């Protein structure tokens, strides 16, 4: 949260740059030496795991994050860690705010607490395969590693949603809701999107197949939502702007769509909190962005957990108190001059 153009400026003697807390806690040369020699695993023990250099970091963080007692509402989505260098697992995703970087499969609560993160590295990703598609494997893999029990409700987008996934989750006592693509509705007798768009705004139709409720709703565009736990009713109201009437109007909204909108943004919220006070120290090591993501994610999770205990404190104040306390704890104790006998 206190950013300078270069990390060495924190030890500058200039009064407008010098940071006494940092300068008294660790010397500049020691910090540079740590940055130069920092490793988390033995490089001589190279394996097929493309993330073997930072795998211990993810193992420690994922273990420490599991302090919540069976959270009720969770969301699954992808997280992109900004990286412009060269690496075999770097991804390019068109249309994303961060287009280049490492991709993680993330499981977060509705308020932005990260429960589990698994780095994506193609066929060597540490998730079990079932032959039913990547979305199916990611959802079941994250839920298994996070230890999610019966009674939870998982929200995800159309990349993951399928009828088989929702049915299998229902058999395990786990609720799930998500938008679904047209080629995955198993030929359900729903009105085609082209005809649905011609209907009035707020028009909807629903059908139940294999204990999965499908609802198609006409808003700014036509959207289809599938759920194994949330029904279409009760019908909610949504506020929209009408360009024809030049005013805000109320339209009908299915309950499953309202639930999806309410709980889907957990991963996006976590990313937003992390980006607010992201670590800006740069390094030539390819794994450095993943390491500082771990520090930022741990800070955000600690803040969300602290707020869940009833403490109303903003993220900046929480991060400031934690950083200052750590720096004071390891501050050098000034030695008194030796007495001459």
């Amino acid at each position: 949260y206190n950013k300078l153009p270069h990390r060495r400026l924190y030890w500058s003697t200039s009064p407008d740059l010098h940071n006494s807390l940092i300068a008294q806690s660790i010397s500049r040369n020691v910090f540079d030496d740590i940055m130069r020699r920092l490793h988390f695993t033995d490089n001589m023990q190279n394996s097929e795991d493309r993330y073997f250099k930072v795998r211990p970091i993810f193992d420690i963080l994922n273990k420490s994050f599991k302090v919540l007692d069976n959270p009720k509402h969770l969301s699954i989505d992808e997280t992109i860690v900004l990286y412009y260098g060269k690496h075999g697992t770097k991804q390019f995703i068109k249309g994303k705010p961060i287009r280049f970087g490492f991709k993680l499969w993330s499981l977060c609560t509705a308020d932005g607490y990260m429960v589990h993160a698994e780095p994506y590295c193609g066929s060597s990703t540490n998730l079990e395969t079932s032959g039913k598609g990547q979305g199916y494997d990611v959802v079941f893999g994250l839920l298994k590693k996070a230890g999610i029990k019966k009674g939870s409700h998982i929200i995800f987008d159309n990349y993951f949603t399928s009828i088989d996934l929702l049915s299998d989750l229902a058999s395990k006592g786990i609720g799930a809701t998500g938008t679904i693509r047209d080629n995955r509705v198993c030929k359900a007798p729903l009105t085609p999107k082209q005809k649905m768009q011609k209907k009035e705004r707020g028009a909807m139709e629903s059908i139940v197949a294999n204990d999965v409720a499908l609802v198609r709703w006409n808003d700014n565009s036509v959207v289809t939502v599938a759920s194994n736990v949330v029904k279409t009713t009760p019908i909610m109201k949504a506020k929209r702007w009408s360009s024809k009437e030049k005013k805000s109007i109320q339209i009908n909204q299915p309950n499953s769509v309202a639930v999806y909108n309410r709980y889907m943004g957990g991963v996006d919220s976590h990313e937003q909190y992390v980006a607010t006070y992201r670590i800006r120290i740069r390094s030539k090591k390819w794994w450095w962005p993943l390491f500082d993501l771990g520090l930022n994610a741990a800070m955000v999770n600690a803040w969300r957990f602290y707020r869940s205990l009833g403490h109303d404190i903003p993220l900046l104040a929480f991060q400031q108190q934690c950083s200052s306390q750590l720096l004071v704890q390891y501050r050098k104790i000034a030695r008194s001059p030796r007495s001459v006998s």
Side-chain angles (χ1 to χ4, degrees):
Y1 60 87
N2 186 6
K3 301 166 186 175
L4 292 177
H6 193 276
R7 69 169 187 261
R8 286 197 161 202
L9 294 178
Y10 289 101
W11 290 270
S12 171
T13 56
S14 177
D16 61 330
L17 299 174
H18 179 72
N19 190 307
S20 60
L21 274 177
I22 293 178
Q24 294 176 12
S25 300
I26 187 172
S27 69
R28 184 195 64 187
N29 293 339
V30 170
F31 188 84
D32 288 342
D33 195 46
I34 292 175
M35 288 284 294
R36 191 181 304 113
R37 303 174 187 274
L38 186 63
H39 292 281
F40 307 103
T41 188
D42 186 1
N43 289 337
M44 301 303 295
Q45 298 178 358
N46 194 351
S47 64
E48 296 181 356
D49 185 5
R50 295 184 179 183
Y51 286 99
F52 81 99
K53 284 181 175 288
V54 290
R55 184 62 64 181
I57 295 297
F58 281 99
D59 292 342
I60 292 173
L61 289 177
N62 286 328
K63 183 179 180 180
S64 64
F65 288 168
K66 294 170 180 56
V67 296
L68 301 181
D69 185 17
N70 197 28
K72 177 65 176 177
H73 298 285
L74 303 107
S75 62
I76 293 177
D77 206 351
E78 58 188 13
T79 299
I80 304 298
V81 183
L82 180 64
Y83 180 69
Y84 288 111
K86 295 181 180 180
H87 194 265
T89 61
K90 188 181 73 171
Q91 301 285 308
F92 169 74
I93 303 180
K94 185 178 180 181
K96 289 287 186 178
I98 300 178
R99 295 181 297 166
F100 294 92
F102 301 110
K103 183 165 75 172
L104 310 177
W105 300 120
S106 299
L107 174 67
C108 296
T109 62
D111 61 357
Y113 181 95
M114 179 175 283
V115 180
H116 192 93
E118 192 67 38
Y120 169 76
C121 46
S123 59
S124 59
T125 304
N126 287 351
L127 295 175
E128 297 180 3
T129 57
S130 62
K132 296 184 178 182
Q134 188 179 63
Y136 185 100
D137 296 338
V138 169
V139 172
F140 268 93
L142 290 179
L143 295 182
K144 181 178 180 180
K145 290 197 171 187
I148 302 303
K149 303 175 183 178
K150 294 182 179 180
S152 295
H153 186 197
I154 316 300
I155 316 293
F156 34 73
D157 60 19
N158 58 30
Y159 182 84
F160 306 93
T161 312
S162 66
I163 301 298
D164 289 341
L165 174 61
L166 297 180
S167 298
D168 291 348
L169 286 174
S171 65
K172 296 182 178 298
I174 298 177
T177 302
T179 54
I180 189 170
R181 299 176 181 178
D182 283 350
N183 59 351
R184 298 181 183 177
V185 297
C186 299
K187 299 181 180 180
L190 296 171
T191 302
K193 282 189 174 182
Q194 294 78 5
K195 294 184 179 180
M196 196 70 176
Q197 287 177 341
K198 297 179 182 179
K199 295 185 178 182
E200 62 178 357
R201 200 171 181 182
M204 68 185 76
E205 60 181 12
S206 61
I207 188 174
V208 179
N210 297 330
D211 296 328
V212 175
L214 294 171
V215 57
R216 180 159 288 178
W217 180 53
N218 185 29
D219 190 16
N220 294 325
S221 60
V222 178
V223 61
T224 307
V225 175
S227 179
N228 62 7
V229 66
V230 182
K231 299 181 180 179
T232 305
T233 56
I235 303 301
M236 314 297 286
K237 292 293 183 179
K239 186 178 181 180
R240 296 291 187 269
W241 173 260
S242 173
S243 57
K244 182 178 180 180
E245 301 181 24
K246 304 298 181 182
K247 64 177 183 179
S248 296
I249 60 174
Q250 298 284 337
I251 65 172
N252 292 330
Q253 184 184 57
N255 183 43
S256 56
V257 176
V259 170
Y260 175 85
N261 292 335
R262 187 181 309 129
Y263 298 116
M264 177 55 196
V267 177
D268 293 335
S269 296
H270 182 85
E271 286 189 278
Q272 182 180 2
Y273 294 140
V274 167
T276 304
Y277 306 108
R278 187 188 302 275
I279 295 174
R280 299 298 180 182
I281 295 178
R282 300 180 64 182
S283 174
K284 294 183 179 179
K285 298 179 175 68
W286 67 265
W287 47 262
W288 183 259
L290 296 170
F291 171 61
D292 64 44
L293 170 74
L295 296 177
N296 283 306
M299 179 64 71
V300 170
N301 273 10
W303 171 64
R304 295 305 313 177
F305 183 73
Y306 190 66
R307 285 181 62 92
S308 68
L309 299 177
H311 303 281
D312 186 13
I313 181 174
L315 177 59
L316 176 59
F318 180 83
Q319 191 160 342
Q320 182 181 8
Q321 292 182 19
C322 291
S323 302
S324 299
Q325 181 63 32
L326 287 173
L327 291 171
V328 169
Q329 181 179 352
Y330 293 99
R331 180 185 296 180
K332 297 176 183 177
I333 301 175
R335 295 183 178 179
S336 58
R338 292 183 179 179
S339 59
V340 181
S341 56

